[in-house]
Amino acid sequence: MRDTAHLSAVEDGIYRRALDWYYANEKPLPADIKLICRYLRARDKTEIAAVNIILSEFFVLTDEGYTQSRCDKEIALYNDKVKTNRVNGKKGGRPKKETQSNPTTNQQETQSVISGLNSETQIKGNQEPITINQEPIIKIHTQNAREDFSPNLEKLNDMLKRSGSKPIEQAHLEQALVTFNPHYEHYELTENQRYA
């Protein structure tokens, strides 16, 4: 806003179309002004004049075409993130956070979890337990842990319908709660906030 407050409505529209084209194609605008006008849908004299003003003020003509340093920087950051995510994806997801802990305490916690598994885990018929990265999900309850949020599916679907969203099925709800409950267990949320 600070850098474009002086532009007319037409110039601002052309500038934003130029940025959209740049980001969508991840490359500079071509050096050919007629082609740029076509890409940016600049048809009449006022719009074509606005293209020339925007190019001269915000872009630099190079051998590659009309470049814009901010766009190039954002595209490079995006591509770095894509590359990192691709590498992490091949390794099975984001790297796990390493924690230093006392082996004796871990052994006691593991024994406590294993002894509580029968009461915590309920598998019906042939149903497989839900897993993430081939490791079973195990709930560890401590004395301070809050009761897990278990919303009423009918109430939740009514709220989704009112907000214009599609209703969900019980399986999707249970899948969402697997990550929701551990993430929000230490937050002071009202019931309405949890439903939201």
Side-chain angles (χ1 to χ4, degrees):
M1 286 293 292
R2 183 185 66 232
D3 296 336
T4 60
H6 64 287
L7 298 179
S8 70
V10 172
E11 292 166 347
D12 187 63
I14 293 295
Y15 177 64
R16 293 180 187 281
R17 285 181 185 173
L19 292 180
D20 288 346
W21 191 96
Y22 206 114
Y23 286 126
N25 294 283
E26 295 185 16
K27 64 181 183 180
L29 293 161
D32 183 354
I33 301 283
K34 286 184 181 179
L35 192 55
I36 293 174
C37 288
R38 180 167 174 75
Y39 289 154
L40 304 184
R41 302 185 313 271
R43 308 263 192 285
D44 64 31
K45 289 180 182 179
T46 305
E47 293 168 342
I48 293 169
V51 168
N52 287 311
I53 289 168
I54 295 304
L55 291 175
S56 66
E57 190 169 340
F58 296 100
F59 293 82
V60 176
L61 180 59
T62 67
D63 293 338
E64 297 173 12
Y66 283 92
T67 62
Q68 213 263 7
S69 59
R70 173 70 187 269
C71 291
D72 292 336
K73 179 181 174 185
E74 294 296 331
I75 290 168
L77 287 171
Y78 169 77
N79 287 328
D80 287 345
K81 186 175 253 187
V82 167
K83 195 180 298 180
T84 301
N85 290 344
R86 188 175 293 126
V87 169
N88 287 340
K90 287 179 181 177
K91 293 178 182 177
R94 287 189 181 137
K96 294 183 177 161
K97 293 181 182 176
E98 294 193 23
T99 58
Q100 294 184 357
S101 58
N102 182 343
T104 309
T105 307
N106 280 346
Q107 198 172 26
Q108 291 169 348
E109 287 175 4
T110 304
Q111 189 59 41
S112 131
V113 167
I114 291 171
S115 64
L117 265 180
N118 291 337
S119 61
E120 289 291 330
T121 308
Q122 294 180 355
I123 301 173
K124 298 175 184 172
N126 296 358
Q127 183 179 353
E128 295 281 329
I130 300 172
T131 61
I132 297 175
N133 293 333
Q134 296 78 38
E135 297 173 12
I137 295 170
I138 299 172
K139 293 181 184 176
I140 300 175
H141 290 283
T142 63
Q143 292 175 346
N144 299 348
R146 296 207 175 123
E147 187 175 320
D148 286 341
F149 178 57
S150 182
N152 176 295
L153 183 61
E154 189 175 319
K155 179 178 177 181
L156 179 61
N157 280 330
D158 285 344
M159 292 175 86
L160 287 169
K161 285 178 190 175
R162 283 195 301 267
S163 70
S165 300
K166 294 180 181 178
I168 63 170
E169 296 177 6
Q170 184 68 34
H172 291 111
L173 174 59
E174 289 171 7
Q175 190 175 9
L177 290 174
V178 166
T179 54
F180 177 88
N181 282 321
H183 181 76
Y184 288 101
E185 71 179 342
H186 299 293
Y187 287 79
E188 293 286 337
L189 298 176
T190 66
E191 184 172 308
N192 283 341
Q193 288 173 323
R194 288 173 185 248
Y195 270 95

